[in-house]
Amino acid sequence: EIVLTQSPATLSLSPGERATLSCRASQSVSSSLGWYQQKPGQAPRLLIYAASNRATGIPARFSGSGSGTDFTLTISSLEPEDFAVYYCQQRSLWPRTFGRGTKVEIK
Amino acid sequence: EVQLLESGGGLAQPGGSLRLSCAASGFTFSTYAMSWVRQAPGKGLEWVSFISGSGGNTYYVDSVKGRFTISRDNSKNTLYLQMNSLRAEDTAVYFCARDSSVSYPDYWGQGTLVTVSS
């Protein structure tokens, strides 16, 4: 199966700062990668699909980039509601797999 | 409004069985693929199983193959996960999720907790 490695595990930032989250795949997934946000006690929310496309209703401060094995989720200016855990997920090969997540916490 | 409501979770003994249900509303259920994703307490997300809109194609993560069965009843707008031979490591919140038109889960239920313990 494809292993997704997310880094860093935790990112400590202040509101207004830029967040850069990384996801690396153990083999190429082309552009078949999504990003999800999850807050405590809630279901995940789709942010980005196909590596760089924002899902419906997602603010423009969220952007995704990359292809092949290296991907990035960028939050241009953190809002208070953005502090959460972020997961990448590939749909290139079965089984679909998720990364272990990056927690974005308030510094 | 799209809604997904899971039920059927609870406490099961090791080796036991449970059947989860996910009632869908607000969209044409039969035209969307569906998935089950789980999250062990304090852990990350793990995709468990997928079923196409017609039910003709299914996929499973290796750890549940032969023990779990995904199915759907499009006449009842309901997704199921039959879980047999349960193990302690199956303890998790189980989410059902709708695959969007671009094949990423775009709507999720709130989850149902399955606890496997003697």
Side-chain angles (χ1 to χ4, degrees):
Chain A
E1 72 177 40
I2 295 176
V3 176
L4 299 178
T5 302
Q6 291 189 242
S7 62
T10 304
L11 199 52
S12 298
L13 295 168
S14 300
E17 289 193 294
R18 182 183 188 89
T20 303
L21 288 66
S22 174
C23 177
R24 176 164 291 179
S26 59
Q27 63 187 83
S28 177
V29 299
S30 185
S31 296
S32 297
L33 190 110
W35 290 93
Y36 301 82
Q37 176 194 68
Q38 188 180 34
K39 297 179 181 179
Q42 296 185 14
R45 178 173 72 144
L46 177 65
L47 299 175
I48 301 288
Y49 66 90
S52 60
N53 297 276
R54 273 190 302 278
T56 302
I58 301 303
R61 63 181 182 273
F62 292 92
S63 63
S65 63
S67 66
T69 60
D70 291 305
F71 300 87
T72 301
L73 174 70
T74 302
I75 310 171
S76 60
S77 178
L78 283 164
E79 296 288 340
E81 62 268 27
D82 299 336
F83 292 92
V85 180
Y86 293 82
Y87 296 94
C88 57
Q89 181 240 323
Q90 65 82 21
R91 58 167 294 276
S92 177
L93 288 178
W94 299 102
R96 294 177 175 178
T97 49
F98 288 90
R100 292 193 172 188
T102 291
K103 182 179 181 180
V104 178
E105 64 176 23
I106 300 176
K107 186 174 181 180
Chain B
E1 178 190 5
V2 172
Q3 290 194 330
L4 299 170
L5 184 61
E6 302 96 336
S7 61
L11 178 63
Q13 292 198 334
S17 298
L18 281 175
R19 187 174 85 153
L20 306 184
S21 299
C22 172
S25 61
F27 63 101
T28 305
F29 183 66
S30 61
T31 64
Y32 287 86
M34 301 290 294
S35 291
W36 288 98
V37 176
R38 67 184 178 184
Q39 187 168 36
K43 302 297 184 181
L45 300 170
E46 180 182 38
W47 174 83
V48 174
S49 186
F50 167 96
I51 187 167
S52 61
S54 66
N57 292 303
T58 58
Y59 298 92
Y60 300 90
V61 67
D62 282 351
S63 60
V64 308
K65 279 181 184 176
R67 300 189 299 122
F68 290 12
T69 302
I70 191 170
S71 63
R72 62 192 297 159
D73 185 336
N74 287 341
S75 68
K76 295 183 178 179
N77 292 346
T78 303
L79 174 73
Y80 302 101
L81 186 67
Q82 178 66 44
M83 304 187 297
N84 298 332
S85 302
L86 283 163
R87 305 168 180 168
E89 54 265 36
D90 295 320
T91 294
V93 173
Y94 285 73
F95 297 99
C96 67
R98 184 189 86 164
D99 257 31
S100 68
S101 58
V102 289
S103 301
Y104 292 83
D106 60 349
Y107 283 93
W108 299 64
Q110 283 305 301
T112 187
L113 176 62
V114 171
T115 303
V116 183
S117 174
S118 56

